[in-house]
Amino acid sequence: MRGVALAGATVMALVAACGGAGSYTTVVGKIRNAGQVVVGTKWDQPNLGLKTGDGPPEGFDVDVATYIVDYLARGQHVEITWRESPSSAREALLQNGSVDLIVATYSITASRRPKVTFGGPYIVTPQDTMVRTSDTSIKKVTDLRGKRLCLAEGSNSYRRIVDPPPDGKLNLPMLLVPAANYSDCVRKLADGQLDAISTLNLILAGFAAQEPDRFRLLHDPVSSEEWGVGIKKGDTATCEAVNQAIAAMWHDGTATRLLRKWFGRTGVKLPSSLPTPVGCP
């Protein structure tokens, strides 16, 4: 990981052009010259990004972000400031400069790409559905017809259930129950205020693993989503460097190790190979 050249002359020219604190034109320049970076993650998602005390958040996305920053720093010490980045605020946080990178179950979608430059994806994961273990009426995803589905603010996952193609998948009639985030969805599912949560299986697996007697996954995938590293629109140099870091993370076995560390006991099938980058326009 240490001492690997990044992205060639374009990156180095942009880094060299960066001035004092606050004047960096690229995140990779800020990391290398200021030794600082602000990283957004989720703080309410078990096994992905969960903050429970005074320390930093913990989880798969946090470890991925740490690896990427360390790679971009090329062996130099970097101070990481962690900032909570809920789904509904991710684009705004990047655009107003509150965060430099977002690693927070951030699906790469056509609607987001005009506003965000995405590095990666670092993982491709299927969308699944979680229900109460006691609810035996829902055995497969099509059993959701007429049920109550969680609509987490800022997330598009519900659309693949309720919308028709091309944007959706199943076009099922359902009652949408709004929630602030996926941890709020889980609380409402437990309280009987809704019947199902549908989103990426690693998100659901973390919640289900905390209370395996209370929740279960259907293991009936709807689609697959690509999780990317969110970067301010136009920072191509950092995007290219992040893609090199992600490739290294898979090639040296770190990605596989982290997936097993955080999800090896959840029963979900884990990704096993480096995804194809979406490119850095």
Side-chain angles (χ1 to χ4, degrees):
M1 182 190 314
R2 309 294 188 184
V4 180
L6 297 179
T10 300
V11 172
M12 296 313 297
L14 286 168
V15 171
C18 296
S23 64
Y24 297 98
T25 58
T26 68
V27 174
V28 68
K30 180 180 179 180
I31 288 172
R32 293 181 186 171
N33 292 314
Q36 298 177 345
V37 67
V38 182
V39 178
T41 67
K42 298 292 182 65
W43 285 14
D44 67 330
Q45 293 185 347
N47 296 28
L48 285 162
L50 183 66
K51 185 172 170 58
T52 57
D54 294 333
E58 297 181 341
F60 175 74
D61 275 353
V62 178
D63 287 351
V64 168
T66 302
Y67 182 100
I68 290 172
V69 169
D70 188 57
Y71 186 97
L72 299 189
R74 297 191 300 187
Q76 301 178 53
H77 172 73
V78 177
E79 180 182 347
I80 300 177
T81 299
W82 301 99
R83 179 156 295 172
E84 185 175 17
S85 299
S87 297
S88 58
R90 288 178 298 202
E91 284 84 24
L93 290 171
L94 284 171
Q95 290 165 359
N96 66 25
S98 296
V99 298
D100 298 311
L101 301 171
I102 290 183
V103 186
T105 66
Y106 208 175
S107 295
I108 302 171
T109 65
S111 63
R112 289 172 178 157
R113 292 194 70 182
K115 298 175 284 187
V116 178
T117 291
F118 281 103
Y122 58 94
I123 196 171
V124 178
T125 182
Q127 178 172 333
D128 206 341
T129 303
M130 186 170 78
V131 300
R132 289 183 297 277
T133 301
S134 60
D135 188 348
T136 59
S137 68
I138 305 175
K139 296 181 175 63
K140 56 186 182 299
V141 69
T142 52
D143 293 335
L144 296 175
R145 183 181 300 272
K147 301 286 188 178
R148 298 167 297 171
L149 181 70
C150 196
L151 194 167
E153 185 176 356
S155 175
N156 293 314
S157 295
Y158 74 96
R159 294 190 179 279
R160 298 177 191 95
I161 302 291
V162 303
D163 286 359
D167 296 328
K169 295 290 183 180
L170 301 179
N171 195 26
L172 293 180
M174 299 191 68
L175 176 64
L176 298 176
V177 179
N181 48 43
Y182 279 110
S183 57
D184 192 22
C185 286
V186 173
R187 285 190 290 270
K188 290 184 176 184
L189 180 63
D191 291 342
Q193 298 178 51
L194 52 86
D195 301 304
I197 307 168
S198 188
T199 189
L200 289 312
N201 72 341
L202 293 186
I203 296 175
L204 298 175
F207 286 115
Q210 286 195 321
E211 298 185 85
D213 295 331
R214 198 169 196 180
F215 305 116
R216 62 182 173 87
L217 272 62
L218 297 185
H219 298 292
D220 186 13
V222 179
S223 64
S224 293
E225 295 299 311
E226 301 171 319
W227 284 356
V229 177
I231 307 164
K232 189 171 184 178
K233 186 64 179 178
D235 188 352
T236 302
T238 299
C239 177
E240 291 172 349
V242 165
N243 283 347
Q244 292 190 10
I246 291 169
M249 182 177 67
W250 277 98
H251 291 154
D252 69 16
T254 299
T256 298
R257 177 178 60 80
L258 293 178
L259 284 165
R260 290 173 178 169
K261 171 186 175 182
W262 291 106
F263 300 102
R265 298 181 180 180
T266 62
V268 299
K269 184 178 180 180
L270 300 177
S272 59
S273 61
L274 171 69
T276 301
V278 297
C280 300

